[in-house]
Amino acid sequence: MPLPVEQFDEPIDVARLLAKGLQRRPDDVALISAEGGRSWRELDRASEYYGANLLALGLKSGDRVASLMPNCAALVIHYLACFKTGIVATPLNFRYTPLEIDYALKKCGASALLAHCSRDIDIAASRQAAELPFGVISYGSEDRRSHSFEALVERPAQIAGLTLPASADPAIILFTSGSTGPAKGVTHSFATLGWMIANFVHGCHTTPDDTVMISGSLSHIGAFQDCFMGMAAGARVVIPRNFDADGLLPMLRLHRPTIFLALPITLFGLIRDPRTTQDDLVSLRLCGAGGDKVPTELEHEYKSVTGQSINEIYGMTEFGVATMSPPDGHVKIGSIGRAIEGYRLSIRGNDGCEVADGAEGRLWIKSQCNMTGYWEDPEATAATIKDGWLDTGDVVKIDAEGYVWFCGRQKQMIIHDGSNISPQEVEDALLEHPAVAMAGVVGVYDLVHGENVRAFITLKPGVVAVTLEDVIDFARTRVGYKAPEEI
């Protein structure tokens, strides 16, 4: 049966996302970035000025304005202005090539583009950018062009009036990575985005006394949700200059964040840097990691330095963060936690029927956070959402205490003698061997068995007294028939 969870009373009002901070302490610093700090009042005023000037240019509610920006206060102000005016924020990956920029601008039907001046050459090479009805708004240019971000936040334009967007109106389009084909525009309404933020505030137990430090691009759902979860709760948000130890350590030491959310690779770099000490991380009450499987080795290394566990989280652009290890509860290393409020989980087989308790199956999710669909792609939307349930394509299992265990993606499954084998599970078993540094597992076609399991490994430096047969036997004691036939 689907797992029941308590629902929030109402979503965050995204158009008034700064309300709690403005009410409690308007002149306190709300956002810290490489450019310095901005108070709640300053963020509110800058986003109002910028939003009014976008409307004065002729843009209107429902128009898509893309952004090609690194992490900075200007991008946060841009998002806030879009939320206030009903303009649909459409962030692009800052590493996009001109061809990718063209694709995204055409796909969403953008009316304008906010772009950092460091991308001027690529913008000039983009055909779609040259055809935008309201052109390119430049940020960081010294020549103060007619459409510059800096000019648009200096003073407000006079507008006749502002009609607040409806809850069902689109608020943001987030492009997926396109790993399974051309990038799709995940569309969230003001309602689905508001629920997503509200549920994550509750999931992290965020309060106005917290300081949230993000890690990752604000153009992607992870850091985006982390940032606005903090702001919606009235908490201070810290955006490091970059996400290696050189960027993170100064922020940790100076601002003493209480919540830090990052990719596993970021935490690996931080925890393995010889300059990192326990005192650098002592302020954290919650260290969350998602976006990729958190290796057991990282969990152990983090705990050896801090004495605390990493709270693993699971989410997707299509619905935000749906599960996490409870901040005030037991963390099961290797689990992606339990469903947070507002999400219902259903584990199903390929036939769409729910599997037996404890069995592996595809994860389906139902929530008020589920995207409204893929932008102008009804076929892809219909293939992903059925009867209000969203098929994640990820294979998981749930234990008796409601903890979710990630087993792999359906498309990655190795089918051997009619049995599903998760490469992730086999890799994890191999990595437990004291001689193995890295491991990768694939399925190799076999006429009789369908696919056989083949592993590739790298041994740790200096290891000599181990055979491949030893490693296979080691894996077999942990995963049985799923162990690789060859390495």
Side-chain angles (χ1 to χ4, degrees):
M1 295 295 291
L3 302 179
V5 290
E6 183 181 351
Q7 294 289 322
F8 243 70
D9 291 336
E10 59 184 13
I12 295 293
D13 183 352
V14 179
R16 300 178 63 251
L17 197 137
L18 302 178
K20 182 166 287 189
L22 287 169
Q23 181 181 8
R24 287 176 56 90
R25 43 195 183 195
D27 295 312
D28 280 7
V29 174
L31 179 68
I32 297 169
S33 66
E35 302 101 313
R38 288 181 180 256
S39 70
W40 297 97
R41 196 189 305 274
E42 288 170 336
L43 285 177
D44 188 50
R45 181 171 59 244
S47 56
E48 282 188 1
Y49 286 11
Y50 178 68
N53 282 309
L54 289 180
L55 296 177
L57 292 175
L59 289 158
K60 60 185 183 300
S61 179
D63 285 343
R64 277 76 63 201
V65 175
S67 55
L68 189 68
M69 295 280 286
N71 284 4
C72 58
L75 183 56
V76 175
I77 291 167
H78 170 76
Y79 289 145
L80 291 170
C82 289
F83 299 155
K84 290 180 178 182
T85 59
I87 290 171
V88 184
T90 310
L92 310 185
N93 188 324
F94 192 59
R95 296 174 295 180
Y96 269 1
T97 66
L99 287 176
E100 291 170 316
I101 294 169
D102 275 345
Y103 171 84
L105 293 177
K106 184 176 182 180
K107 180 69 176 177
C108 72
S111 296
L113 169 67
L114 170 66
H116 194 278
C117 64
S118 64
R119 301 302 308 275
D120 281 353
I121 294 176
D122 294 316
I123 296 300
S126 165
R127 294 182 179 180
Q128 291 295 322
E131 299 176 2
L132 294 170
F134 296 94
V136 176
I137 301 167
S138 178
Y139 173 76
S141 175
E142 295 182 357
D143 58 12
R144 281 300 191 100
R145 303 164 193 182
S146 57
H147 286 353
S148 73
F149 175 87
E150 292 83 353
L152 295 177
V153 296
E154 282 182 354
R155 60 182 63 86
Q158 297 298 319
I159 56 175
L162 178 62
T163 302
L164 292 176
S167 62
D169 289 343
I172 191 167
I173 300 171
L174 292 153
F175 282 98
T176 60
S177 64
S179 59
T180 56
K184 299 188 288 290
V186 175
T187 307
H188 281 284
S189 68
F190 282 85
T192 65
L193 183 59
W195 280 114
M196 186 194 306
I197 294 171
N199 291 337
F200 198 38
V201 168
H202 183 85
C204 294
H205 301 180
T206 313
T207 74
D209 295 325
D210 278 310
T211 296
V212 180
M213 187 164 81
I214 70 166
S215 174
S217 171
L218 284 167
S219 297
H220 300 152
I221 188 62
F224 174 91
Q225 186 177 4
D226 300 341
C227 174
F228 291 113
M229 172 274 294
M231 288 191 166
R236 179 177 297 172
V237 174
V238 177
I239 305 175
R241 183 184 299 273
N242 51 57
F243 309 119
D244 57 17
D246 289 335
L248 297 174
L249 283 174
M251 292 299 203
L252 284 164
R253 293 166 179 171
L254 183 60
H255 302 294
R256 312 306 284 176
T258 56
I259 299 175
F260 179 42
L261 303 152
L263 293 169
I265 189 173
T266 301
L267 291 178
F268 257 132
L270 178 64
I271 210 71
R272 290 182 170 180
D273 192 282
R275 297 167 294 175
T276 303
T277 67
Q278 183 179 20
D279 185 64
D280 294 327
L281 304 168
V282 73
S283 65
L284 298 177
R285 67 166 182 83
L286 171 62
C287 179
D292 199 355
K293 175 72 177 170
V294 177
T296 303
E297 189 173 2
L298 173 58
E299 289 274 13
H300 291 323
E301 290 184 21
Y302 183 84
K303 193 162 190 176
S304 70
V305 173
T306 66
Q308 304 295 320
S309 296
I310 295 172
N311 293 73
E312 192 162 354
I313 63 178
Y314 168 83
M316 289 178 64
T317 307
E318 284 82 349
F319 48 74
V321 175
T323 75
M324 69 181 300
S325 296
D328 60 353
H330 176 53
V331 174
K332 291 188 177 182
I333 293 179
S335 167
I336 56 176
R338 297 185 297 194
I340 66 175
E341 288 190 4
Y343 291 88
R344 297 178 67 197
L345 312 184
S346 178
I347 315 303
R348 306 183 183 185
N350 292 333
D351 58 0
C353 297
E354 292 189 334
V355 301
D357 290 348
E360 293 181 5
R362 257 201 341 266
L363 175 61
W364 292 66
I365 287 183
K366 192 171 193 177
S367 75
Q368 296 183 82
C369 314
N370 284 5
M371 66 172 184
T372 58
Y374 296 112
W375 185 260
E376 295 190 346
D377 195 341
E379 290 185 4
T381 301
T384 303
I385 300 178
K386 299 176 182 178
D387 298 324
W389 288 90
L390 189 147
D391 180 4
T392 68
D394 291 331
V395 178
V396 304
K397 59 184 178 182
I398 299 179
D399 66 21
E401 296 179 287
Y403 283 79
V404 185
W405 300 81
F406 184 82
C407 303
R409 296 191 66 84
Q410 183 69 27
K411 65 180 181 180
Q412 295 172 336
M413 282 293 169
I414 299 169
I415 311 300
H416 177 78
D417 287 343
S419 297
N420 293 343
I421 298 175
S422 164
Q424 181 75 59
E425 183 180 4
V426 182
E427 289 168 5
D428 287 346
L430 292 167
L431 288 170
E432 290 180 21
H433 193 289
V436 176
M438 294 186 290
V441 171
V442 297
V444 180
Y445 173 73
D446 183 90
L447 180 63
V448 176
H449 303 289
E451 290 179 294
N452 288 328
V453 181
R454 177 182 292 172
F456 298 84
I457 64 172
T458 299
L459 297 178
K460 293 179 180 177
V463 171
V464 291
V466 66
T467 67
L468 298 183
E469 289 75 20
D470 290 337
V471 178
I472 291 174
D473 289 342
F474 178 89
R476 188 167 288 123
T477 63
R478 284 156 173 75
V479 293
Y481 72 89
K482 300 177 185 178
E485 285 86 4
E486 58 176 327
I487 298 181

